[in-house]
Amino acid sequence: LKRFVPPARRQGQLLLSKGSWYQPGGIASASELVEAAFPVEEMAFEETEAGFAMLRRLQSRALAIENEGRGWNCSKPESVLLDIGALYRHRKHGYRGVIVQWFSACPASQEWVNEWGPFENGAEQPFYRTLVDTKDRPNPFMTLAAQENLEYLPYESEPIEHPKMADFFNDFEWGHHVLKPSMAEMFREDW
């Protein structure tokens, strides 16, 4: 947040420079504060949008935590490092993909583990169901991947292409695919 919201003293200076009412410890209107924090003449539009996208994600996560006491499942283990919608590059095979589901341990059979392993961190590490980018692998497919094999790509500018993307996501913002509202209801701990 520090990158996008000026310190309180700077916010006050910006409000005063615009002729708005401000006193230390007091707050002007919310719209004035936002205008002061994100002045068009001082910040590129893309950076402003990145800040708002980040704030929307933080707000969604705060809502998920707040609703934890209401019986909604917010049980994502700390060991699960990637969110649904996150882009990655497979460390062994080099293709890009997007996370569509996570598991705290491998959900596949021992036969699958024997065929596709061994896994350095074992079958008890987090695993992810993913859609593989058809630009990297022309035949569309979904795969199961161990966390140790995925390199998170937080700054990707190109979305993943796959025929099933519309089943899960409705937008791409700042290196992250955004879940459709119906899917976001099912995965509150990621949004």
Side-chain angles (χ1 to χ4, degrees):
L1 286 174
K2 289 181 180 179
R3 175 177 173 206
F4 299 103
V5 180
R9 179 181 295 145
R10 178 72 177 130
Q11 289 174 8
Q13 291 169 349
L14 288 168
L15 290 172
L16 283 173
S17 71
K18 293 179 183 286
S20 300
W21 176 83
Y22 174 84
Q23 56 178 276
I27 297 178
S29 73
S31 62
E32 289 177 318
L33 187 57
V34 169
E35 287 175 17
F38 300 99
V40 174
E41 65 273 7
E42 291 185 25
M43 181 181 285
F45 177 76
E46 291 81 18
E47 288 184 6
T48 303
E49 284 300 308
F52 282 120
M54 180 206 50
L55 289 172
R56 283 191 296 273
R57 292 197 65 213
L58 287 173
Q59 180 182 17
S60 296
R61 285 181 182 251
L63 183 62
I65 292 168
E66 175 186 322
N67 290 325
E68 185 173 352
R70 297 184 181 155
W72 292 332
N73 183 9
C74 295
S75 59
K76 184 175 181 180
E78 288 184 22
S79 62
V80 176
L81 301 179
L82 299 176
D83 292 335
I84 295 171
L87 276 63
Y88 71 87
R89 180 170 312 283
H90 196 282
R91 293 180 196 278
K92 292 182 180 176
H93 304 294
Y95 57 77
R96 289 183 334 131
V98 61
I99 307 295
V100 296
Q101 188 177 14
W102 55 262
F103 304 93
S104 57
C106 183
S109 68
Q110 187 60 46
E111 291 79 26
W112 184 90
V113 172
N114 293 340
E115 181 179 345
W116 295 100
F119 299 104
E120 187 175 310
N121 297 329
E124 296 304 313
Q125 68 179 303
F127 275 72
Y128 301 90
R129 187 165 321 282
T130 74
L131 298 177
V132 175
D133 196 334
T134 55
K135 292 179 291 209
D136 297 333
R137 298 277 173 107
N139 294 327
F141 72 96
M142 185 180 281
T143 187
L144 186 63
Q147 182 167 275
E148 69 187 42
N149 291 327
L150 303 183
E151 175 189 355
Y152 179 44
L153 301 173
Y155 303 110
E156 280 295 296
S157 59
E158 290 204 28
I160 299 299
E161 291 182 16
H162 191 283
K164 293 286 187 184
M165 289 297 288
D167 293 348
F168 298 94
F169 308 104
N170 64 358
D171 203 357
F172 181 76
E173 287 185 347
W174 304 100
H176 199 96
H177 284 280
V178 179
L179 279 169
K180 294 169 57 171
S182 60
M183 296 298 291
E185 283 292 315
M186 296 168 49
F187 299 103
R188 292 179 183 273
E189 61 271 6
D190 278 19
W191 294 93

